[in-house]
Amino acid sequence: MEQNKRLPLSVLDDFPKVDREAIHNLYLREWVDFKKKVIVLDDDPTGVQTVSDIHVYTDWNRESLLEGMVEEQKLFFVLTNSRSFSAEKTVEEHRMIASRAVSAAREAGKELLFVARGDSTLRGHYLLEPQVIRKTLEEETRRKIDGLVVCPFFLEGGRFTIDSIHYVREGDWLVPAGQTEFAADKTFGYRASHLGDYLEEKSGGNYPREKGIYITLSLLRAGAFQEITRMLMEVEDFRPICVDAIDQSDVETFAVCLLRAMKAGKEFIIRSAAAVPKVLGNVPDRPLLSRQELLRGNGEIAETGCGEADGTIGVEDGNSEGNQGEEAGGYGGLVLVGSHVKKTTAQMESLRETSVPVEFVEFQVGACFQPGGLKEETRRVIQVAEEIMGRGKTAVVYTSRTLLAPEGKTKDQLLELSVEISDAVTSVVAGLTRQPRFLIAKGGITSSDVGTRALRVRKALVLGQAAPGIPVWKTGPESKFPGLSYIIFPGNVGDVDTLRKIVERLA
């Protein structure tokens, strides 16, 4: 297949079918005696979009890492939000995390497997993070890391890898990732769609395409377990291993071989999207969260029908800041939109067509060019949003759709400006005097800042998904609004009407 060629979506049906149940059962047999603890370093909070009943920590203090190590679950997440970091800060923080994790694992008597969860459209410090983790682990443990597994497949988001070319679904077509709007990212842009070419491009030639090992769909669908395992056993010197996938069964097939290689002594670091952590943690599928599950704990009395006896979870242990209880039932919800990708803008326009009561409030990001402008704009937006919610309506706060990219700015300077604006938008949630009926944050950096800075979450439980690929945190008791079901909506996920449908369910 040519790298620059779009493919019809129907091509996914052209590959040999597999017995998914048989593959899953084979994986379970290998997983039973898999001893490593999986620590997922997530570069924004959307990486939990395939799991449920898993904890995510928002700091990497040694105490939090040790707490994650001794949990019963096979894996836990650490939210780094490194997609908002400069390269220098990424190096500093990942070195610190890896070193502390090794120490915590020793105390807990665990062996570690690191997963650097990143964007399924290949943005972020894609190679830098695993390189820093590798260097730190080798220094701390004196054990060589043999290979880097690269698997950006993410079914719910429409991201597929075929013959090592990564595709993004757009309608009825699969578009090579290098031809999408994501590849034109001002900070993390790229040109290549073939994973080997992408790694060569991002490494400045240090990882040439011919150095890569390619686990193709033809191998996976043929059930070539012995051959794939042999390929993994021969990997050394941190060679990249690029993995095709169009279905979770493909990831499970590869994982069988990966587990076998690790049990035989091979060491790997994984760079993936959200599909791989779910498989390595053996996290079962669960239905999408119901309206009752999403609103329970948000200051609303649970409705009868699905769980009449559940009562008002989260009301008694709410704090005065949240002003929870029956009074909050008539208070409106809040949607915070920071992402600027085309899909987000289209979803927001679809929300304007809803029949439920919503009002839109534009956050004027141009205020950043005036001294004190962002603080004043934040105060204005908080006042307007609270007035809207006080009338029982949903306030939709969105940043100006014109993307600011002043001439002469470096990539790091543009990223710094983006973070400054995100901080101001996040302050809208931090400044609320009452808990909203529900809270949705749209965009990776925005949702991370809302969770960590505005809601002050240290540890959250992933409840599940509000829609495919759209995760929900239950906030911890230390947070601004304890027990809140916080909906994290990635900028590049969902159909045009997905945001509107979620708001209509909750409003």
Side-chain angles (χ1 to χ4, degrees):
M1 297 178 182
E2 297 178 12
Q3 182 171 342
N4 62 352
K5 183 179 179 181
R6 297 194 313 165
L7 301 177
L9 186 63
S10 59
V11 76
L12 299 178
D13 298 323
D14 294 342
F15 294 91
K17 299 296 184 287
V18 294
D19 187 335
R20 294 176 177 172
E21 184 177 357
I23 291 172
H24 183 63
N25 289 335
L26 178 60
Y27 174 72
L28 290 180
R29 289 196 292 273
E30 288 292 338
W31 185 85
V32 165
D33 58 350
F34 172 47
K35 303 299 183 184
K36 291 181 183 288
K37 187 80 174 190
V38 182
I39 176 171
V40 184
L41 305 187
D42 202 351
D43 76 350
D44 80 7
T46 64
V48 294
Q49 56 204 157
T50 60
V51 301
S52 59
D53 297 320
I54 296 294
H55 283 113
V56 53
Y57 296 82
T58 66
D59 67 52
W60 38 97
N61 293 328
R62 191 172 178 280
E63 295 75 14
S64 294
L65 293 175
L66 182 59
E67 190 175 335
M69 295 293 173
V70 299
E71 287 183 355
E72 182 178 350
Q73 291 93 334
K74 178 66 73 176
L75 86 162
F76 67 100
F77 282 72
V78 175
L79 172 58
T80 68
N81 198 34
S82 59
R83 211 178 301 174
S84 68
F85 291 174
S86 65
E88 291 76 13
K89 186 174 182 181
T90 297
V91 171
E92 177 184 351
E93 299 298 335
H94 281 74
R95 184 183 294 130
M96 182 188 303
I97 296 170
S99 180
R100 289 178 178 175
V102 168
S103 176
R106 283 180 182 145
E107 184 171 341
K110 304 286 187 179
E111 295 182 18
L112 286 179
L113 172 61
F114 275 88
V115 177
R117 201 296 306 189
D119 180 37
S120 60
T121 59
L122 306 180
R123 296 169 299 169
H125 300 287
Y126 209 85
L127 266 175
L128 182 59
E129 292 172 12
Q131 286 172 330
V132 174
I133 297 169
R134 175 209 182 186
K135 186 174 186 294
T136 307
L137 289 184
E138 291 185 341
E139 291 172 351
E140 297 271 349
T141 67
R142 303 299 178 188
R143 299 185 66 176
K144 292 293 183 183
I145 307 298
D146 297 297
L148 170 64
V149 174
V150 178
C151 184
F153 161 72
F154 176 42
L155 177 65
E156 293 83 351
R159 326 287 195 241
F160 306 95
T161 311
I162 303 171
D163 288 342
S164 304
I165 298 172
H166 196 50
Y167 294 91
V168 175
R169 177 182 177 179
E170 294 184 359
D172 292 330
W173 292 92
L174 299 180
V175 180
Q179 299 176 20
T180 65
E181 63 171 313
F182 309 110
D185 188 281
K186 295 292 184 181
T187 304
F188 299 114
Y190 58 92
R191 297 175 60 188
S193 302
H194 187 283
L195 292 181
D197 290 334
Y198 172 83
L199 295 176
E200 182 171 344
E201 177 184 347
K202 283 296 181 180
S203 67
N206 291 328
Y207 286 89
R209 173 172 171 168
E210 58 268 20
K211 183 180 180 179
I213 293 174
Y214 301 98
I215 310 299
T216 62
L217 274 176
S218 58
L219 286 170
L220 295 165
R221 290 298 170 100
F225 294 97
Q226 290 185 343
E227 183 176 352
I228 296 171
T229 303
R230 176 190 58 77
M231 294 167 72
L232 295 176
M233 291 300 298
E234 293 175 355
V235 172
E236 56 185 14
D237 297 328
F238 208 53
R239 289 182 69 184
I241 304 142
C242 302
V243 183
D244 281 7
I246 60 174
D247 187 84
Q248 180 171 311
S249 62
D250 299 318
V251 181
E252 291 187 341
T253 296
F254 173 75
V256 167
C257 306
L258 183 68
L259 294 184
R260 289 174 179 175
M262 286 193 287
K263 291 174 187 178
K266 302 298 285 186
E267 298 281 352
F268 302 92
I269 290 172
I270 298 172
R271 183 46 140 167
S272 76
V276 172
K278 178 181 181 180
V279 170
L280 291 176
N282 191 25
V283 179
D285 293 333
R286 65 146 295 159
L288 296 176
L289 294 167
S290 68
R291 180 176 187 273
Q292 290 88 345
E293 289 171 309
L294 289 170
L295 289 177
R296 192 176 298 141
N298 290 9
E300 171 159 311
I301 296 176
E303 298 178 25
T304 60
C306 280
E308 186 173 348
D310 289 341
T312 54
I313 296 174
V315 172
E316 282 110 2
D317 41 338
N319 56 17
S320 58
E321 189 173 22
N323 193 23
Q324 298 173 341
E326 289 186 348
E327 181 187 358
Y331 203 59
L334 177 64
V335 180
L336 200 64
V337 182
S339 169
H340 284 86
V341 299
K342 292 178 182 177
K343 177 167 283 189
T344 289
T345 301
Q347 289 169 338
M348 194 172 67
E349 291 307 308
S350 176
L351 179 57
R352 290 183 185 275
E353 301 172 3
T354 184
S355 59
V356 300
V358 302
E359 289 189 24
F360 287 76
V361 184
E362 182 176 1
F363 190 106
Q364 300 286 349
V365 298
C368 68
F369 298 115
Q370 304 166 5
L374 285 177
K375 286 186 178 180
E376 183 58 38
E377 179 65 1
T378 299
R379 283 193 290 268
R380 180 191 73 83
V381 171
I382 291 173
Q383 182 178 359
V384 174
E386 289 203 312
E387 190 274 330
I388 293 169
M389 290 187 287
R391 291 187 276 113
K393 294 186 176 183
T394 296
V396 182
V397 175
Y398 67 98
T399 53
S400 308
R401 295 293 87 187
T402 301
L403 190 61
L404 297 175
E407 293 185 7
K409 295 284 187 180
T410 66
K411 289 183 178 181
D412 280 350
Q413 287 172 329
L414 288 173
L415 187 58
E416 185 178 339
L417 178 61
S418 175
V419 171
E420 182 182 347
I421 294 170
S422 179
D423 286 346
V425 175
T426 298
S427 297
V428 172
V429 176
L432 295 179
T433 58
R434 293 180 62 184
Q435 176 173 318
R437 177 182 172 91
F438 60 87
L439 177 59
I440 302 172
K442 192 83 167 70
I445 294 177
T446 301
S447 57
S448 177
D449 287 348
V450 168
T452 59
R453 299 182 184 183
L455 295 177
R456 303 192 299 273
V457 176
R458 183 191 74 87
K459 177 182 178 181
L461 178 68
V462 183
L463 293 178
Q465 285 72 48
I470 301 170
V472 181
W473 286 5
K474 180 180 180 181
T475 59
E478 78 289 348
S479 65
K480 178 180 176 69
F481 298 131
L484 173 72
S485 296
Y486 170 40
I487 301 173
I488 297 168
F489 201 134
N492 57 6
V493 168
D495 295 325
V496 170
D497 60 355
T498 302
L499 177 61
R500 174 168 57 83
K501 287 181 176 179
I502 292 177
V503 171
E504 288 173 347
R505 284 170 59 199
L506 299 178

